[in-house]
Amino acid sequence: REAADLSYAPYSRFHVGSALLFADGTVVTGCNVENASYGLTCDAGHFLQGTVNGDSIHLGKLQDDPDWGTTSFDLDIAVNLDQMKPFPAGRVTGDIHNIYYKGYNYQHIGLDARSTSAEVDGTLDIDDENLKAHADFAYADVPAKDIQLNLLLERFNPNHLGITEDFQGENLAMNLEASLQGSDFKHLYGHVVLEDVNLTDEGGEYHLDGMRLDATRQEGGENLYTISSDILSGNIQGQASLADIAKEFTNQLAHNLP
């Protein structure tokens, strides 16, 4: 009844309210909002808006996946339940205070994501003691894959994060920009650029000005990959996928940086 009082229905004069009750007692309300443009009209039964607070929710038990642990968050959500595939249409903003994954409890994550039925974009900020990063991202799924990413990595300690048992005491910082398109994840073309790569360990500091990988498809059906940097440059042509080249790319990088 309280939600219905918030509705805006000057045309039908039919005020509708709805409420969603979560297991922890949280109630999220919605109401109908009419507009002279019918396409912009929302009804209470198909639109979900409100604030969701989670405290020590165990994701691993919900997903039956031991890699995941508990999470706590405060998120503002607005979702059109009529448009859920391939992405739910709406917006999610707020803070993920902590999330446990593969032995590490990541903290202080800020999220602002917007999506339509075909694409999702937004920003992600992490200010953890072993991972500090800002990312602007956009991903479209139809009619083809389209990935746009700008990442500023200020602090990355892989050993402390439990990603590897090696590289103790090391910290990595860099800028990454990627623009990739393709019919599926095995056939992506575009470029990936690393800039201002800085690695610090017990032995000192190491710097790489930049490295760029361009992926294009040739008329004959083969793939052409061009790598350029101050330590490694060259072309690779053949049937190998971008995933294959990326693996070799990181292996070559490991030979030049400790």
Side-chain angles (χ1 to χ4, degrees):
R1 189 179 301 274
E2 292 179 0
D5 291 340
L6 299 174
S7 70
Y8 179 72
Y11 305 104
S12 70
R13 300 189 183 281
F14 189 68
H15 298 270
V16 180
S18 64
L20 181 64
L21 175 63
F22 287 83
D24 64 356
T26 300
V27 177
V28 177
T29 60
C31 62
N32 60 323
V33 179
E34 296 179 355
N35 193 293
S37 170
Y38 184 74
L40 296 178
T41 299
C42 299
D43 67 86
H46 295 153
F47 194 78
L48 178 64
Q49 182 171 0
T51 300
V52 179
N53 309 107
D55 184 14
S56 299
I57 296 176
H58 203 298
L59 296 177
K61 292 181 179 179
L62 292 174
Q63 303 180 92
D64 192 26
D65 188 342
D67 288 339
W68 293 91
T70 59
T71 182
S72 299
F73 52 81
D74 293 297
L75 298 172
D76 293 322
I77 63 172
V79 179
N80 186 342
L81 301 180
D82 280 337
Q83 300 180 27
M84 297 296 290
K85 294 181 178 181
F87 307 111
R91 184 171 185 175
V92 178
T93 62
D95 298 310
I96 301 173
H97 305 301
N98 68 281
I99 184 168
Y100 183 93
Y101 180 67
K102 287 191 173 181
Y104 187 80
N105 192 34
Y106 294 83
Q107 300 185 32
H108 309 304
I109 303 171
L111 176 66
D112 184 353
R114 300 162 296 277
S115 62
T116 67
S117 58
E119 61 184 11
V120 58
D121 66 86
T123 61
L124 180 70
D125 288 283
I126 303 177
D127 193 9
D128 185 270
E129 64 177 339
N130 291 303
L131 176 61
K132 181 177 177 62
H134 172 84
D136 296 301
F137 61 88
Y139 171 68
D141 191 67
V142 291
K145 309 293 183 186
D146 189 327
I147 302 170
Q148 305 294 323
L149 174 65
N150 284 283
L151 172 67
L152 172 61
L153 187 63
E154 297 185 49
R155 180 171 61 244
F156 177 59
N157 301 315
N159 179 270
H160 293 165
L161 293 171
I163 297 174
T164 175
E165 295 182 358
D166 299 323
F167 310 118
Q168 296 186 17
E170 294 192 351
N171 177 63
L172 176 67
M174 67 176 180
N175 297 327
L176 182 148
E177 186 262 325
S179 178
L180 299 169
Q181 299 81 35
S183 57
D184 54 54
F185 288 115
K186 292 184 179 180
H187 301 88
L188 291 174
Y189 303 96
H191 67 265
V192 178
V193 179
L194 301 178
E195 293 181 330
D196 196 23
V197 181
N198 294 284
L199 182 67
T200 304
D201 68 2
E202 297 176 352
E205 298 182 359
Y206 307 87
H207 177 77
L208 177 67
D209 288 335
M211 181 174 287
R212 179 183 178 101
L213 171 65
D214 289 280
T216 57
R217 187 168 180 81
Q218 303 301 291
E219 291 184 0
E222 291 190 331
N223 302 321
L224 175 63
Y225 304 96
T226 301
I227 301 173
S228 55
S229 73
D230 50 357
I231 62 170
L232 176 68
S233 297
N235 296 323
I236 302 173
Q237 186 167 347
Q239 299 295 330
S241 69
L242 183 61
D244 297 328
I245 300 301
K247 182 178 180 180
E248 183 62 23
F249 178 76
T250 54
N251 288 339
Q252 290 293 334
L253 188 64
H255 287 308
N256 292 277
L257 291 175

